[in-house]
Amino acid sequence: MKKLGLNAAATVLALLFVFPLIWMFLTSLKPDGVNVYTLADWVDWSDLNTGNYVKVIRDSQILLWTWNSLVIGVLTTLISILLSSLAAFSFSKLPFRTRGIFYVLIVSGLLIPTEAILIPLYETALHLELIDNIWAIILPGLTNPIGILLLKQFMDGVPKDYIEAAQIDGSRSFRLWWSICLPLTRSAMVSVGIFFFILSWNNFLWPYLAITSEENMILSAGLPTFLSNNNMSLNLIMTASAIAAIPTIVVFILLQRQIVQGVAMSGVKG
Amino acid sequence: MERSLSEKRSAAALRRAEPVHLLTELKAILYLIPFLIPFTVFYLWPVIRGAWMSLHVWGIQGMQKYVALTNYAKILTNSDFYAYLWNSFYFVLLCAPTVIILGLLLALIINQRIWLRTLIRSVFFLPYVLSVSVVSFIWLRLLDAKNGPVNAALHMLGIHADINWLTDHRFVWWAITLATDWWSVGFVMVLFLAGLQEIPTDHYEAAKIDGANAWQRFWSVTLPGLSSVMKIQIFYQIINCLKLFGQVQIMTGGGPGDSTNTMIRYIYVTGFKKDMFGMAAAQSMVFCLIMLLIAVIQFKITDRKDG
């Protein structure tokens, strides 16, 4: 009986949670001006059509923004992971005297969020002529120290014997990183990478400032332009949201195990 | 941050133990350089530059005049600053506890052997992968006063209030909290789940043998077992709530009036709408100091309990 109550509670909560998404998709499939409001509207599926999707894709740059988000996300993630892994390797496997100083310096990067350095960051990007360029989003995206912290922990788990054996065989440190540490921390890199990708894909404030022309925008920052566009109906706004949401939802369904694991890892230890 | 301290200690030990080999030193640093370059240019430099800018009248065209601490004096004597600072903290008070309690509750439910457990866990987590724009758009529509399903549901429950969620100052913070909780509670849940799985089951059995009921077991075994996750989450959620920008920018534009204008939005408007970079930099510095203070307090509390 208690079990039943728990199950019922969980199911009801889950339905409440998923309702906004279902509602978004349903509204996006209704003709312009028709709102899903009453129960009768919900059940009436006769007028569902994909017309709104055709319209939004035709009349806006949304597919281009999706592409930009994807390119920026992939580049940021790959470069970040590589840089983090190199630094983690140095901290974990190369004993050097100034290690503590560098470590504290880098970890201190967790203290002040990007939101708090917007103005000087903008000024820096302006000077480097990066404003309205996708690199203005990628480069500051590479400064997150979390990857170093996490990958270092995993590299600490790579047995010393492996390293020593390779050193005796005459391997140079670059080879130690490339052919021993990198393969052995692959699963951690995947988790950290997914986490970085989500961060990049959902990054809002900085791209919102740094990109000024429509063709360079990314999804998260481009979407609000629909609101200032007065002739956008509510259904079309929901369609735009749905288009923006579909890639992440698909990726989530495909990779949920790694995503949840990556988030648990980065959150608990970050 | 606990780790950075122990790192410091081990680094100090290393320093004593090893002679300096310049080449080893340089080689190790070489591996840090690819990270250090963007880190210096796009993080360290802006931090220093921001401090410098805050001492000037500065516009998008560049520096105009050195004014020493005038910007700070202006900020601290401006009542807007305190109003927006309060708004930011008000959101912390609303959102941080609700998201943590709800996240814990969901984790406790999912941790039981319920039907479709993985599916239900995914449902709770799913909103977290959406961007703030999508989340804001969805809730903008759900909370619409005239055609929104939230008011429609209230109608069905017999409440015919037609609440103006986003334009009535009595409800607007709850609306933003609701959207934010929905968006991020899955993240908190996942962390608590990971924490729950690390609590040894024999602790529960021992408590059971001692005759502890479910509620007592929760207080004496579960909560202490989750304390490290809890501490990190409290800190993380406070900082996260203080950074509120996207939801208010999209859902309310800071309104009604100025009631949902937060510190970050204040900095954004001062810098980019009013073209007062120096002033905005000074506001950032004050805000950073407040966040650092929270970090230090948190760090002290955590450190004392651990040691």
Side-chain angles (χ1 to χ4, degrees):
Chain A
M1 199 52 216
K2 201 178 127 214
K3 201 85 208 167
L4 198 70
L6 194 67
N7 275 310
T11 313
V12 170
L13 271 173
L15 287 175
L16 276 177
F17 254 77
V18 80
F19 170 79
L21 287 174
I22 295 175
W23 191 81
M24 171 182 76
F25 283 117
L26 215 50
T27 313
S28 75
L29 290 167
K30 291 270 180 178
D32 239 9
V34 174
N35 287 311
V36 187
Y37 185 56
T38 63
L39 203 59
D41 292 329
W42 265 88
V43 205
D44 179 18
W45 286 16
S46 59
D47 53 0
L48 294 192
N49 66 79
T50 53
N52 293 338
Y53 285 81
V54 176
K55 210 167 177 174
V56 169
I57 289 171
R58 195 189 56 209
D59 297 344
S60 77
Q61 311 260 38
I62 199 160
L63 287 189
L64 189 63
W65 298 342
T66 312
W67 172 250
N68 289 344
S69 283
L70 199 71
V71 170
I72 289 172
V74 167
L75 281 175
T76 309
T77 305
L78 289 181
I79 304 173
S80 263
I81 281 288
L82 213 60
L83 304 188
S84 303
S85 177
L86 276 171
F89 171 71
S90 178
F91 283 126
S92 176
K93 295 292 174 236
L94 305 174
F96 62 109
R97 233 184 127 212
T98 44
R99 174 160 84 166
I101 300 168
F102 279 107
Y103 198 75
V104 169
L105 180 76
I106 287 174
V107 171
S108 71
L110 291 171
L111 287 178
I112 300 172
T114 321
E115 283 82 354
I117 53 165
L118 278 181
I119 306 290
L121 184 60
Y122 188 85
E123 211 239 357
T124 307
L126 203 63
H127 273 294
L128 297 173
E129 292 179 9
L130 285 174
I131 293 299
D132 205 24
N133 182 325
I134 62 164
W135 289 97
I137 308 175
I138 297 171
L139 293 173
L142 303 177
T143 61
N144 191 343
I146 289 222
I148 298 180
L149 292 185
L150 294 171
L151 292 177
K152 181 187 169 293
Q153 288 213 320
F154 278 85
M155 280 193 197
D156 287 345
V158 173
K160 252 196 168 126
D161 306 353
Y162 285 31
I163 303 290
E164 276 162 12
Q167 269 167 342
I168 289 164
D169 288 346
S171 292
R172 319 193 66 134
S173 54
F174 187 77
R175 257 190 81 85
L176 295 181
W177 170 68
W178 178 254
S179 50
I180 297 178
C181 287
L182 213 55
L184 286 176
T185 53
R186 201 164 46 196
S187 70
M189 287 172 73
V190 171
S191 295
V192 176
I194 289 170
F195 186 66
F196 277 157
F197 187 82
I198 295 178
L199 282 186
S200 166
W201 182 276
N202 292 341
N203 193 4
F204 175 70
L205 179 51
W206 176 243
Y208 185 70
L209 288 176
I211 299 297
T212 48
S213 62
E214 282 213 4
E215 65 266 21
N216 291 332
M217 273 179 188
I218 69 169
L219 255 185
S220 66
L223 223 44
T225 60
F226 280 94
L227 273 191
S228 42
N229 191 344
N230 286 328
N231 45 34
M232 262 298 172
S233 79
L234 300 166
N235 301 52
L236 289 182
I237 286 178
M238 280 302 98
T239 310
S241 312
I243 295 173
I246 288 168
T248 30
I249 293 177
V250 169
V251 170
F252 176 71
I253 290 169
L254 293 177
L255 296 174
Q256 40 175 308
R257 190 177 293 271
Q258 286 91 327
I259 290 175
V260 170
Q261 196 185 323
V263 164
M265 207 171 82
S266 54
V268 173
K269 296 182 181 145
Chain B
M1 264 175 294
E2 288 150 58
R3 230 169 303 112
S4 71
L5 246 199
S6 66
E7 252 330 292
K8 238 192 254 172
R9 273 182 221 124
S10 69
L14 257 175
R15 218 168 308 161
R16 277 191 298 276
E18 279 183 34
V20 194
H21 291 298
L22 199 59
L23 203 65
T24 325
E25 203 75 11
L26 286 177
K27 219 159 90 179
I29 295 170
L30 197 67
Y31 285 87
L32 302 178
I33 285 182
F35 179 83
L36 282 175
I37 291 173
F39 185 74
T40 309
V41 178
F42 297 102
Y43 185 79
L44 290 182
W45 169 247
V47 169
I48 299 164
R49 182 77 170 168
W52 174 244
M53 287 174 84
S54 73
L55 304 175
H56 294 80
V57 172
W58 203 297
I60 193 137
Q61 303 300 333
M63 178 174 58
Q64 282 152 24
K65 202 169 83 200
Y66 174 77
V67 294
L69 296 174
T70 312
N71 285 334
Y72 290 93
K74 277 188 186 151
I75 292 169
L76 296 176
T77 53
N78 187 343
S79 59
D80 280 354
F81 167 76
Y82 296 100
Y84 302 150
L85 191 64
W86 165 244
N87 284 346
S88 285
F89 276 97
Y90 187 66
F91 182 63
V92 171
L93 291 178
L94 283 184
C95 191
T98 50
V99 83
I100 287 172
I101 292 170
L102 201 58
L104 177 61
L105 193 73
L106 294 183
L108 289 171
I109 293 175
I110 299 288
N111 206 35
Q112 307 289 317
R113 258 179 245 110
I114 54 164
W115 306 321
L116 304 169
R117 192 170 143 189
T118 329
L119 179 72
I120 288 180
R121 187 196 65 180
S122 300
V123 166
F124 290 143
F125 185 79
L126 186 58
Y128 180 69
V129 301
L130 303 174
S131 74
V132 64
S133 324
V134 174
V135 172
S136 301
F137 272 14
I138 291 176
W139 284 94
L140 209 53
R141 289 293 300 113
L142 287 174
L143 294 168
D144 192 275
K146 290 236 152 44
N147 295 314
V150 172
N151 276 350
L154 290 178
H155 269 266
M156 279 195 269
L157 294 172
I159 304 165
H160 299 275
D162 276 344
I163 296 169
N164 293 307
W165 291 100
L166 296 163
T167 49
D168 186 328
H169 65 94
R170 285 171 301 170
F171 300 108
V172 66
W173 275 118
W174 288 104
I176 290 167
T177 303
L178 186 63
T180 312
D181 280 355
W182 180 73
W183 183 28
S184 51
V185 75
F187 174 80
V188 184
M189 173 199 74
V190 163
L191 301 179
F192 277 129
L193 263 179
L196 282 173
Q197 271 143 24
E198 275 170 24
I199 300 174
T201 44
D202 50 338
H203 287 194
Y204 284 103
E205 276 150 26
K208 242 181 201 166
I209 292 165
D210 290 344
N213 62 34
W215 186 243
Q216 286 163 331
R217 286 200 299 274
F218 172 74
W219 279 104
S220 60
V221 182
T222 311
L223 266 189
L226 291 176
S227 72
S228 69
V229 182
M230 186 68 94
K231 276 182 229 159
I232 294 171
Q233 275 313 297
I234 290 172
F235 174 65
Y236 182 85
Q237 293 302 332
I238 291 174
I239 296 296
N240 216 25
C241 291
L242 285 177
K243 296 194 308 196
L244 175 69
F245 175 78
Q247 297 97 303
V248 290
Q249 178 70 8
I250 299 170
M251 287 170 74
T252 68
D258 255 343
S259 55
T260 56
N261 231 341
T262 60
M263 274 308 289
I264 297 289
R265 201 167 175 280
Y266 184 37
I267 294 167
Y268 161 79
V269 170
T270 311
F272 294 95
K273 299 285 160 199
K274 296 187 180 159
D275 191 24
M276 294 159 74
F277 272 28
M279 184 66 83
Q283 289 165 356
S284 305
M285 293 301 292
V286 175
F287 197 48
C288 278
L289 282 180
I290 294 169
M291 284 205 261
L292 277 177
L293 198 68
I294 293 170
V296 169
I297 293 170
Q298 168 75 14
F299 181 53
K300 284 262 189 259
I301 294 171
T302 318
D303 213 33
R304 197 186 314 143
K305 278 183 189 154
D306 288 347

